[in-house]
Amino acid sequence: MRIGELSNRSGVPVPTIKFYVREGLLPAGKLTSPNQASYDSGHERRLRLIRALLDVGGLSLAAIGDVLRAVEDPAQPVHKVLGVAAKRLTPPQRDEPGPESEDAREEVAELLKRRGWRAEAHGPAGESLAEVIVALRRAGHGGFVELLDDYAAAAEPVARADLDYVGRRVAREDLVESVVVGTVLGEAMFGALRRLAQADASARMYDGDGAGPGGDGAEPRGTEG
């Protein structure tokens, strides 16, 4: 297909497609003449993946480039590809290490030990969790940290579901792409589902039958704005 058709099918403007090619995010089309190139369904699929990682996953173009290079490297084990995607999804550390951070890291390490998780306490995800613990305590909500094991227990079946989805893929290209999608977009999906569940729990607890605080028998409002 010509670039115009690729643009129409993918919903990505032609100038943006050309920019992705220049940046190495999208392979160049096959030249059919000095001024014309041909594209195929693989280009369309890659464009849809880039837009999903950008618009839904919230990754920067630089982060997407790192992830795509890992996906395309046949020497990279799938576990390493997952690590690259997780690393680029995790925000960089914002605070200088201090006593609070060290205590939080120890708590993360203890959590991993309790649950028998084969993960790095000082990796990007562990550091991110430690930052959350520090932030909760600084905000005066240190008691929320007591829910760590409850959250971890909820995360385990979700992680298994992610990897079960990955395991259904046979071709390496499909497999590594599903790892990226499950890591980046699965994060966004789980966050949205959590907010929906909170809305339902709030409605049932406070507005379910009009008997809770502020209840008047009206339609449940939930917690979403």
Side-chain angles (χ1 to χ4, degrees), residues 35-79:
N35 298 316
Q36 294 288 342
S38 176
Y39 300 85
D40 57 27
S41 60
H43 290 90
E44 182 182 356
R45 175 175 175 171
R46 172 59 61 87
L47 277 175
R48 294 186 187 280
L49 177 60
I50 292 171
R51 297 307 303 187
L53 295 177
L54 183 67
D55 298 337
V56 182
L59 269 65
S60 67
L61 289 177
I64 293 172
D66 287 345
V67 171
L68 293 179
R69 280 188 288 274
V71 167
E72 292 172 341
D73 184 356
Q76 286 276 20
V78 174
H79 182 68

Side-chain angles (χ1 to χ4, degrees), residues 93-108 126-146 148:
Q93 186 173 346
R94 290 176 292 274
D95 297 330
E96 290 295 324
E100 290 175 302
S101 297
E102 290 305 317
D103 289 344
R105 286 174 178 144
E106 288 182 13
E107 290 182 71
V108 173
E127 289 292 314
S128 182
L129 179 56
E131 279 196 0
V132 171
I133 292 172
V134 171
L136 283 168
R137 291 198 168 122
R138 287 178 179 173
H141 290 276
F144 203 83
V145 179
E146 296 173 5
L148 271 177

Side-chain angles (χ1 to χ4, degrees), residues 121-201:
H122 298 296
E127 289 292 314
S128 182
L129 179 56
E131 279 196 0
V132 171
I133 292 172
V134 171
L136 283 168
R137 291 198 168 122
R138 287 178 179 173
H141 290 276
F144 203 83
V145 179
E146 296 173 5
L147 301 180
L148 271 177
D149 279 283
D150 292 329
Y151 272 67
E156 287 177 343
V158 174
R160 286 194 295 270
D162 288 342
L163 295 180
D164 178 65
Y165 174 76
V166 171
R168 299 175 202 165
R169 272 46 188 174
V170 178
R172 186 187 185 279
E173 180 183 0
D174 290 342
L175 192 143
V176 294
E177 185 176 300
S178 65
V179 166
V180 171
V181 169
T183 302
V184 179
L185 302 187
E187 182 96 353
M189 182 169 70
F190 187 69
L193 284 168
R194 178 175 179 264
R195 292 191 297 273
L196 288 169
Q198 284 178 335
D200 175 69

